[in-house]
Amino acid sequence: MAVPQYSNLFTCLHDEPEPVGGLGRGTHYSIFRCVEWLDVERRPLQLPQIHDFAVVWDEDHDTRIIEAIERIYMAGLLSPVQFIGERKGLLTVIVAARFYFLGGEEQLQAYRHAIEAIADDLDDPWTVEIGSFDRQPSSPHQTFPEAIISDNEHRVRLYLANIDSLWSLGTRAYRPSPTAPHLLIPAPSSLGVMPNSRAPRIFPPGGVLPPTGD
């Protein structure tokens, strides 16, 4: 069965369309992938990275969260996100512990306010909370699932850890398939023009080119 695609900005790698098991109120999840030009600490990258993150759904599978995620992504705020979910009008954004504890309370508050501005601007505004996830077994005290799932916190932490164990969420360097064609990289002096390609065509004012005879 083909995996549904919820967005033109992300690829859905795995989808659970309805509740699975007995955790919370119909809990299930989907995994999405996007390309990031910011690392997990929101610092600019010279080369883009792959970013996999999970949407945790409740029983109503409210796809309005996709618009919120798209806006977060286009604002350059998605790269630290590991899990995100909406439940009863509350948008829970769970970021990597590395980002959560990076710059202290002031930076975290600035990040929260930026997410809140996006959530407030939706057709149906949501309140926002920010949580943390640390995959290291030695650091359970750095995982704060907040209210992303309505259940015992121990069970919620285990559920999130199992998803991460399966999908290795977060940002990482892109590794092309061994069978993929070699990438052509422009020479430094080519100003972005591929070798052996035609010179770029400069559009005049109005965007109309004269006939070329090509």
Side-chain angles (χ1 to χ4, degrees), residues 132-153:
S132 170
F133 178 76
D134 192 332
R135 64 166 52 99
Q136 301 301 323
S138 60
S139 304
H141 58 286
Q142 295 192 153
T143 294
F144 310 123
E146 303 300 331
I148 194 166
I149 298 171
S150 178
D151 210 309
N152 178 276
E153 184 170 317

Side-chain angles (χ1 to χ4, degrees), residues 58-202:
D58 62 8
E59 73 274 21
D60 65 356
H61 201 92
D62 190 346
T63 58
R64 291 179 300 171
I65 196 174
I66 299 300
E67 180 186 350
I69 299 171
E70 288 181 338
R71 293 193 184 196
I72 292 169
Y73 179 57
M74 296 304 292
L77 299 167
L78 188 66
S79 63
V81 175
Q82 313 277 283
F83 302 89
I84 186 168
E86 181 274 330
R87 188 172 64 84
K88 296 190 177 299
L90 178 63
L91 181 67
T92 302
V93 180
I94 299 181
V95 299
R98 177 175 161 187
F99 174 78
Y100 189 93
F101 295 100
L102 175 67
E105 185 62 25
E106 184 176 347
Q107 177 176 291
L108 188 62
Q109 286 289 355
Y111 181 80
R112 178 185 288 108
H113 292 331
I115 301 291
E116 286 174 342
I118 291 171
D120 286 343
D121 193 48
L122 298 171
D123 290 340
D124 187 7
W126 292 330
T127 54
V128 171
E129 62 179 2
I130 307 295
S132 170
F133 178 76
D134 192 332
R135 64 166 52 99
Q136 301 301 323
S138 60
S139 304
H141 58 286
Q142 295 192 153
T143 294
F144 310 123
E146 303 300 331
I148 194 166
I149 298 171
S150 178
D151 210 309
N152 178 276
E153 184 170 317
H154 171 73
R155 298 185 69 204
V156 175
R157 289 182 184 215
L158 184 60
Y159 182 79
L160 300 182
N162 283 338
I163 295 173
D164 178 67
S165 180
L166 289 171
W167 295 98
S168 298
L169 303 177
T171 56
R172 63 182 181 277
Y174 169 65
R175 295 286 182 265
S177 167
T179 60
H182 294 294
L183 298 177
L184 296 176
I185 303 196
S189 61
S190 64
L191 300 178
V193 180
M194 298 300 292
N196 301 320
S197 68
R198 296 184 179 184
R201 305 175 73 184
I202 307 301

